[in-house]
Amino acid sequence: MQDNSSLQKTIDIGEGAAIPLKSDKGLFTAWRIAFFGAIATCLYLAFFRPDEYMAIFRFIPDGIIVTFKVTVGSIILALIVGLIAGLGRISSNRLINGAASLYVEVIRGIPLLVQLFYIYYALGRFVKIPDMASAIIAMAICYGAYLGEVFRAGIQSIPKGQMEAALSLGMSRFQAMRHVILPQAFKVILPPVGNEFIALLKDSSLVSILAVSDLLRRGREYASETFSYFETYTVIALVYLILTLFFSKLIGIMEERLNEGK
Amino acid sequence: MKIFRNIAVAFCLLACSTVVAFAAPKTIKVATDATWPPMEMVDTAKKIVGYDIDFLNAVAKEAGIAVEFKNTAWDGIFAGLDSGQYDAIISSVTITDERKAKYDFTEPYTSIGQILIVPKADMSSRKIADLKGKKIGAQIGTTGAFEVKKVAGVELKTYDEIGLAFEDMAAGRVSGVVCDEPVAAHFALKKQEYKDKFKIVGASFTKEAYGIVVKKGNKELLDILNRGIKAVKAKKLDARIHSKWVK
């Protein structure tokens, strides 16, 4: 088997909106057109078509906050789960390695929507957890598996010699991991983690099936009461687009900063 | 000359097919959200059954049409009618002014009311307002949800299916559920898993009537259905269907 680990400096996983970097001129322009176009469309609808649209814009803000809470809560929890899973996947302890691999394999093999239903209603059977927390836990368990693979790939992208050198200096494996390997790995990991964050933001719309009043749920509630399906889902789509583009830009800036520091 | 002949043939074919379409009994496609027992549900044989299904079949028989049911999620059921995916909806649809402004309803075919269901352990709550500061579940876009929304201080949680609201109440995430009386009776009194957990409190607090929904201005179908409903009522078939499903 060929050992690619030392060559593998970057990991490309693209589930979210593409992250615009200054170096990529075409995408940068596309981002600008989409972002400002979406904002302009929203403003146009709110102020020039207020009869149909103003009520929608008034109905959904608390949904945006819920979407945001679910996304941030899930990514934080998923990072912790992912780090544990990732370390487990490269562990030489067969039991830990097996458990982590099994977790990743099982979770990645089940659609997120099915998992959400399962975890939400299965958790409800055994323990009393509020709805929002259940949704966050369900999302984190799923994304933890994806992030686990990102962490594993990131750690394995650091040349083996680094670990060997650290060990020969008298560090323990844990110390070497903490002070030598992980700090370097994080730089490699950050772009795909950003990508996962954007993907998670979009997938958070799935929690609307769990009766969590997120952005999509609020939209559906509004549409099912007023029957203005077209208008409502136009607004919902635009708001999601603005959110994802905003965050992908933010992550792009973060990445550029990180590269400058090199 | 050949092109004229082709056009003539095409016209003949078109005429023939139209004649055939008129000769066969007209089949209408009807949407129903089969998650609302005992009014409409899917049985263990994956068949859509229930009060509404029996009722519309009886109506169709009287009116001389055939019906094909389509199981459709509730919160898109009106949008599907808009876009012409089916001709009518029979899905325990309460006739309201807001809905009447956008769609046409047949004559009402049965009356019901909204009712509150709470866990058995709750000894004090009798009405929605008694659950101030708590969450109440209802199906999205239903008159039950609208009623909860009207009461200030109570948080409404909407579900895609009413069964999920009951499951969430069993898990302790909501303190009450509001839905149509027959559905409440099905979940709180008949369903084995919930019988010992839930109870119906108070009496129903709205007066509503169900109607069959058609697209605004579809007078042809509306007349056919109304004729059928009239015949079913005259023969008292609806009373028999009622006692079969609701009791």
Side-chain angles (χ1 to χ4, degrees):
Chain A
M1 214 172 92
Q2 205 183 344
D3 185 16
N4 279 330
S5 58
S6 59
L7 300 170
Q8 202 178 340
K9 275 288 185 203
T10 53
I11 320 155
D12 264 329
I13 304 170
E15 283 166 282
I19 292 171
L21 298 171
K22 278 225 176 71
S23 48
D24 189 342
K25 277 275 181 293
L27 186 60
F28 197 66
T29 321
W31 180 89
R32 269 198 207 156
I33 294 171
F35 186 68
F36 294 110
I39 290 179
T41 311
C42 278
L43 291 176
Y44 167 78
L45 293 176
F47 294 108
F48 291 93
R49 308 276 299 278
D51 297 347
E52 300 106 306
Y53 288 95
M54 207 53 204
I56 305 173
F57 283 110
R58 252 186 254 127
F59 196 85
I60 55 172
D62 59 337
I64 299 176
I65 294 168
V66 170
T67 288
F68 193 68
K69 275 187 192 164
V70 170
T71 308
V72 172
S74 313
I75 197 80
I76 290 171
L77 201 56
L79 280 172
I80 298 167
V81 175
L83 181 61
I84 295 168
L87 289 174
R89 287 270 283 141
I90 53 168
S91 166
S92 48
N93 182 321
R94 281 176 71 176
L95 196 70
I96 296 174
N97 194 314
S101 303
L102 189 66
Y103 161 70
V104 170
E105 246 0 72
V106 167
I107 294 298
R108 294 207 305 179
I110 303 171
L112 178 54
L113 186 59
V114 177
Q115 280 179 47
L116 283 176
F117 261 118
Y118 183 77
I119 297 168
Y120 186 82
Y121 288 103
L123 273 181
R125 279 269 145 133
F126 306 111
V127 274
K128 246 187 166 172
I129 300 178
D131 44 9
M132 178 103 89
S134 309
I136 289 175
I137 291 171
M139 292 289 285
I141 289 176
C142 172
Y143 267 82
Y146 297 127
L147 286 174
E149 283 303 274
V150 172
F151 275 106
R152 180 192 58 76
I155 292 166
Q156 285 180 342
S157 75
I158 305 304
K160 274 206 175 108
Q162 299 264 345
M163 176 60 99
E164 282 156 15
L167 290 178
S168 70
L169 284 172
M171 283 187 178
S172 70
R173 276 194 91 83
F174 178 76
Q175 280 174 323
M177 192 52 95
R178 222 195 113 197
H179 296 291
V180 180
I181 308 295
L182 282 182
Q184 297 184 73
F186 273 122
K187 273 195 181 172
V188 188
I189 286 166
L190 195 75
V193 166
N195 252 322
E196 291 292 311
F197 177 79
I198 302 294
L200 198 147
L201 174 66
K202 291 191 298 173
D203 279 349
S204 77
S205 62
L206 289 171
V207 304
S208 70
I209 54 134
L210 306 177
V212 173
S213 312
D214 75 332
L215 179 53
L216 179 59
R217 182 105 214 150
R218 281 285 179 246
R220 290 168 63 187
E221 282 173 0
Y222 186 85
S224 67
E225 199 170 336
T226 58
F227 313 115
S228 21
Y229 297 97
F230 174 76
E231 292 82 356
T232 312
Y233 293 123
T234 304
V235 171
I236 298 295
L238 283 171
V239 173
Y240 269 115
L241 183 63
I242 292 170
L243 285 176
T244 44
L245 289 176
F246 174 76
F247 282 108
S248 64
K249 180 74 188 171
L250 212 64
I251 290 163
I253 291 172
M254 255 166 67
E255 262 177 55
E256 263 158 21
R257 287 268 161 84
L258 212 74
N259 284 337
E260 278 164 21
K262 253 183 188 167
Chain B
M1 282 311 274
K2 210 172 171 190
I3 188 149
F4 286 109
R5 210 176 57 206
N6 283 347
I7 291 172
V9 169
F11 265 110
C12 280
L13 283 174
L14 197 70
C16 289
S17 61
T18 324
V19 169
V20 170
F22 270 116
K26 192 179 150 101
T27 299
I28 57 162
K29 270 195 194 158
V30 180
T32 189
D33 170 26
T35 63
W36 199 244
M39 305 310 285
E40 43 268 332
M41 54 191 167
V42 177
D43 69 5
T44 45
K46 288 185 258 182
K47 247 186 84 186
I48 303 172
V49 296
Y51 180 110
D52 280 351
I53 312 306
D54 281 3
F55 181 78
L56 187 57
N57 279 330
V59 168
K61 204 175 154 202
E62 295 299 323
I65 52 169
V67 181
E68 186 192 318
F69 288 99
K70 248 185 108 149
N71 195 357
T72 309
W74 174 257
D75 89 318
I77 209 163
F78 289 98
L81 187 66
D82 288 343
S83 61
Q85 287 171 29
Y86 30 79
D87 309 296
I89 304 168
I90 185 161
S91 197
S92 305
V93 186
T94 297
I95 305 169
T96 66
D97 290 340
E98 292 82 9
R99 288 173 182 162
K100 252 165 54 182
K102 279 209 80 170
Y103 306 96
D104 279 345
F105 280 89
T106 60
E107 293 299 314
Y109 61 87
T110 192
S111 321
I112 56 102
Q114 296 301 315
I115 203 156
L116 176 67
I117 307 101
V118 297
K120 270 224 161 104
D122 183 346
M123 289 310 196
S124 55
S125 306
R126 306 290 300 165
K127 53 186 190 301
I128 300 176
D130 293 339
L131 288 164
K132 282 226 165 83
K134 293 189 177 143
K135 290 178 182 172
I136 298 186
Q139 190 180 9
I140 188 167
T142 57
T143 43
F146 303 155
E147 287 301 319
V148 177
K149 225 173 163 183
K150 276 187 206 160
V151 183
V154 176
E155 192 185 328
L156 165 68
K157 271 197 72 171
T158 61
Y159 295 82
D160 291 7
E161 296 170 20
I162 197 68
L164 299 177
F166 282 102
E167 185 62 30
D168 237 16
M169 183 153 74
R173 293 186 184 115
V174 286
S175 312
V177 170
V178 172
C179 64
D180 294 359
E181 225 176 328
V183 181
H186 177 89
F187 278 99
L189 306 177
K190 290 202 194 118
K191 218 167 154 50
Q192 209 57 42
E193 307 99 282
Y194 297 145
K195 235 168 43 180
D196 308 321
K197 288 185 184 162
F198 306 144
K199 62 178 178 186
I200 292 174
V201 289
S204 66
F205 48 86
T206 58
K207 282 204 169 13
E208 301 174 17
Y210 290 162
I212 303 169
V213 192
V214 301
K215 224 175 180 167
K216 193 103 200 156
N218 190 352
K219 202 166 174 318
E220 188 196 350
L221 182 56
L222 202 63
D223 288 344
I224 293 172
L225 292 171
N226 273 333
R227 200 161 17 123
I229 292 174
K230 212 170 160 189
V232 166
K233 280 183 178 167
K235 289 186 182 171
K236 297 227 177 336
L237 294 172
D238 54 336
R240 208 179 304 159
I241 296 167
H242 192 274
S243 63
K244 176 181 170 192
W245 293 102
V246 183
K247 271 161 231 168

